[in-house]
Amino acid sequence: MKQQGVHPEDAEGTSDAASRPHGQDSPDSRGEAPDEACEEVHVDEVEGDEPLLPARVHRPSDLMRLLVGVLAVIVLLGIAAFAHGTTSGLEQDINKGTGQAPDLLIKIAGLASSIAILLVPVAFAIERLIKRDGLRIADGVLAAVLAHGVTLATDLWVAKAAPDSIQEALTQPSPGDIHALTDPVHGYLAPVIAYMTAVGMSRRPRWRAVLWIVLLLDAFSMLVTGYTTPFSIILTVLIGWTVAYGTLYAVGSPNVRPTGRTLMAGLRHVGFHPVSAAREEAPDTSETGDRGRRYFVTLEDGPPLDVTVVDREQQAQGFFYRAWRNLTLRGFATRSSLQSLRQALEQEALLAYAAIAAGANAPKLIATSELGPDAVMLVYEHTGGRTLDSLADEEITDELLRDTWHQVRALQSRRIAHRRLVGDAILVDRSGTVILTDLRVGEIAAGDLLLRMDISQLLVTLGLRVGAERAVASAVSVLGPDAVADCLPMLQPIALSRSTRATLRRLARERAQREREAVLEASRLAKQARLEAGHEAEPVSEKAEKKAVRAQARAEKRAIDEALEGAREEDLLTQIRHEVLRIRPQAPVEPARLERVRPRTLISFIAGAIGAYFLLTQLTHIEFGPLIANAEWGWVAAAVVFSALSYVAAAMSLLGFVPERVPFLRTIAAQVAGSFVKIVAPAAVGGVALNTRFLQRSGVRPGLAVASVGASQLFGLGCHILMLLSFGYLTGTEKTPSLSPSRTVIAGLLTVAVLVLVVTSVPFLRKFVVTRVRSLFAGVVPRMLDVLQRPQKLVTGIGGMLLLTFCFVMCLDASIRAFGTESTSISIASVAVVFLAGNALGSAAPTPGGVGAVEATLTVGLIAVGLPKEVAAPAVLLFRLLTLWIPVLPGWLAFNHLTRKGAL
């Protein structure tokens, strides 16, 4: 057996046995060994390779404390900035109270705290080094260095850039020099706090008491002598605490997972006499990370045992998933995200006893114990047998299904919810008896919602193995039709376990692949039949030939639709609903609202916040008074009209490449919704995703929808390049009588050529561009052949693209004329070049809607072609308001309307 080492985390009162070489472990490396264990010599035999453990692990609890600390610092600074009266009153009250303290007491407290603040960390470091825990001291030193850097940066910010209210809350005139201010953050105290927190002093009672005494003495002496403020002390503590946990999460904490030999010593500690232990292989699923490691233990006398070991690292697995479920789902989602080991031990023990008392077959818990401060073990009587997932299909009989439902009914009779009725939690012993395991995530005194979720979960679990019909029939025979019918509102993916949802998604992909293969086969056969018919047909007139071609195309489409209809399969959830409705037609089928916050709603909220932020940052430095006073409102109205007309043109440019029938007005609404989407994503990416989704919801098959949008993008790119070259050439010849292009155009072309050469010569960039282009334009050529059969569609698409560019150019030109006189106006060709260049840069910029890049490009471009700066800046602002910012609200309304209608 290979026994891998870990870096143990010593607790108060523990021995240093955990740091001994492998093979020399004490009976209990986490605590004092019992006398009888010390008197005997045991040979620990652990079968099966222990996994190679990382020396350090990143604990979610450290990340949560880091986030809480950052939030507390922000709240403190907010109070200091906006509650000036409160901070001043608090300081006056504290100064008044501390001013009555005796001078002797103040001097003694100051001297004691000054000495202790240096001696306590050194003493703890010596204690840790004696116990061979130097890595922990290194973590503390690193945290102290980082905390000192943060304090210096904070002091500099408060002195140079912070608002006056924050400066007054964190500083006051120094007693030694009235012209100087005290430090906003104590440069020596924050590193000490970070060091003490990182090395784990707060987790040891004696050291924790000393730590608090030192901190209180230091704060008292500093406040009384006038060298600090209450807010400064609180900020210092928060910075030290936050930096410490940030350091621990970044570098990781020592891995304290107990080994198999520690388990053997722990079993002796609770009175067993183990001979050997064999590690059981855990099933490879996404939900078994926090279930603990399982061992099969043989004893010197008595039957074998099943032992589960749970440590902090395993318990942390899946933390963020559980936190997300608890946030987005209503109060039944998962267990507490930050559950302690003691709570986990008590919950599993309580569920084990409650299940047996309810009459259900469950593993019998006979002992529990802690394996030090960072692990626990639960000892069960050995059950044996195989899980439902490991049984062959022919072994899953109707009797076994009914026995499984009997066990669930026994739990539900006492209001016990299992919460994880998946295949590996259902054990079948040698006699065929069903045993329910993994009760750790269950719940007692459960509500009706959780009990119905258990039924729906087990229906899907059994349906995946034996089909919907047998699963429903076995449930009805035990629970009755009414109980099964009541679970239909819970029969939705979000109410199922994580592994079950993954299985359903995999089956959905397989069904989609079979449908695609059926469509391709039908298309191949139709084309083959058309070729054979073409070889055998006699020459006919051109009109008759076109008619025959259209008839063959209709026949091919009909064959594809028939093949798709024949290959279409119902998913398992739909099959279960149909089986239940066949028994209880009046059963409720409307899914229950289980989500507290839907991901789409959360994304919309974040998108709106981002949009508002960018809008405010753009408008804060603009003086609107002179702009409004000098604007010519007739041209402003013209710019509004051209901006509104651009959405009609965008709808035309999309529908021109979609042979299927799609409502025109709804397409316009989708383009308006795109003005909201592009605020949170680069323009090209957001537009492609929204239009593809819209076409799919409008009845266009996914592959064809992607191809249509790709064809539109491809033609749009070609038109954009041609118009940029054409207008650039015209702009270059405006001031030059010859037909030679301007130097600007030549420089632009050379720049583009150099970029193309760089991209094609670097393998990484070449692969990146080829992959993106191939995925975007996959299937474009066959789609274009469909469009070419309808010339009016192609004219609509290309005309829409030209009209779209015309609308934007005229909107920018009208914005210029709204703030400039006839003498400052420039030609339409120059405006078009500036717009096309700015739009291209906006599509490439990573900022939402090209914010910043487009404004800078348009302003610089207009100035370069001869427009005064005092006209170019407000003109660009008006243009961006009309084409980007003002449409955000209508876009948000259109986005939500189309979402409710199922069009997005």
Side-chain angles (χ1 to χ4, degrees), residues 5-21:
V6 298
H7 296 271
E9 181 178 356
D10 289 333
E12 184 67 26
T14 60
S15 68
D16 63 345
S19 59
R20 298 175 182 174

Side-chain angles (χ1 to χ4, degrees), residues 644-656:
L645 187 60
S646 66
Y647 295 102
V648 179
M652 294 173 56
S653 66
L654 175 64
L655 294 182

Side-chain angles (χ1 to χ4, degrees), residues 412-614:
Q412 300 209 345
S413 66
R414 300 295 179 88
R415 314 295 296 180
I416 300 174
H418 187 283
R419 304 288 300 277
R420 194 178 173 276
L421 288 170
V422 294
D424 60 355
I426 302 172
L427 194 69
V428 182
D429 64 11
R430 296 180 179 85
S431 63
T433 302
V434 174
I435 302 172
L436 299 182
T437 64
D438 289 342
L439 290 164
R440 181 180 173 192
V441 296
E443 186 169 329
I444 63 172
D448 292 337
L449 200 62
L450 288 178
L451 299 180
R452 287 189 290 165
M453 287 178 63
D454 267 359
I455 297 176
S456 62
Q457 171 66 59
L458 187 55
L459 278 174
V460 177
T461 299
L462 299 180
L464 290 172
R465 295 302 312 272
V466 301
E469 183 177 358
R470 289 182 62 191
V472 173
S474 61
V476 170
S477 65
V478 176
L479 303 180
D482 294 333
V484 178
D486 289 341
C487 80
L488 283 189
M490 304 296 110
L491 202 63
Q492 47 184 308
I494 197 170
L496 304 176
S497 68
R498 194 176 185 181
S499 57
T500 304
R501 294 199 304 273
T503 303
L504 293 178
R505 287 194 297 268
R506 176 179 57 81
L507 295 177
R509 290 193 297 268
E510 294 175 356
R511 288 196 305 271
Q513 180 63 29
R514 289 193 292 270
E515 292 177 3
R516 286 193 295 269
E517 292 175 354
V519 169
L520 292 176
E521 180 64 19
S523 177
R524 186 187 65 80
L525 293 176
K527 290 178 180 178
Q528 183 179 356
R530 183 173 58 187
L531 291 176
E532 293 175 356
H535 289 306
E536 298 175 357
E538 298 180 357
V540 294
S541 63
E542 182 178 355
K543 182 177 180 180
E545 184 177 356
K546 290 182 178 180
K547 185 177 181 181
V549 170
R550 288 195 293 269
Q552 291 172 354
R554 288 194 298 269
E556 181 179 353
K557 185 177 184 302
R558 185 167 56 253
I560 292 176
D561 292 339
E562 292 176 355
L564 182 61
E565 185 66 27
R568 186 172 287 118
E569 306 173 21
E570 290 183 338
D571 63 279
L572 179 62
L573 300 185
T574 303
Q575 296 176 24
I576 294 176
R577 290 192 191 97
H578 289 169
E579 289 295 328
V580 176
L581 290 175
R582 187 173 57 84
I583 300 171
R584 276 289 186 270
Q586 70 277 16
V589 294
E590 186 68 22
R593 178 68 183 275
L594 303 179
E595 294 174 289
R596 180 187 291 116
V597 179
R598 293 187 176 182
R600 187 183 298 274
T601 304
L602 188 61
I603 292 173
S604 299
F605 175 77
I606 295 175
I610 294 175
Y613 170 78
F614 280 111

Side-chain angles (χ1 to χ4, degrees), residues 1-6 22-23 25 44-53 257-263 293 295:
M1 175 275 164
K2 294 181 181 179
Q3 185 68 35
Q4 309 296 344
V6 298
H22 303 309
D25 297 47
D44 294 336
E45 181 182 352
V46 183
E47 302 174 3
D49 289 351
E50 290 283 303
L52 181 62
L53 303 180
R257 172 179 288 188
T259 63
R261 300 195 177 190
T262 307
L263 166 66
R293 289 173 293 147
Y295 293 86

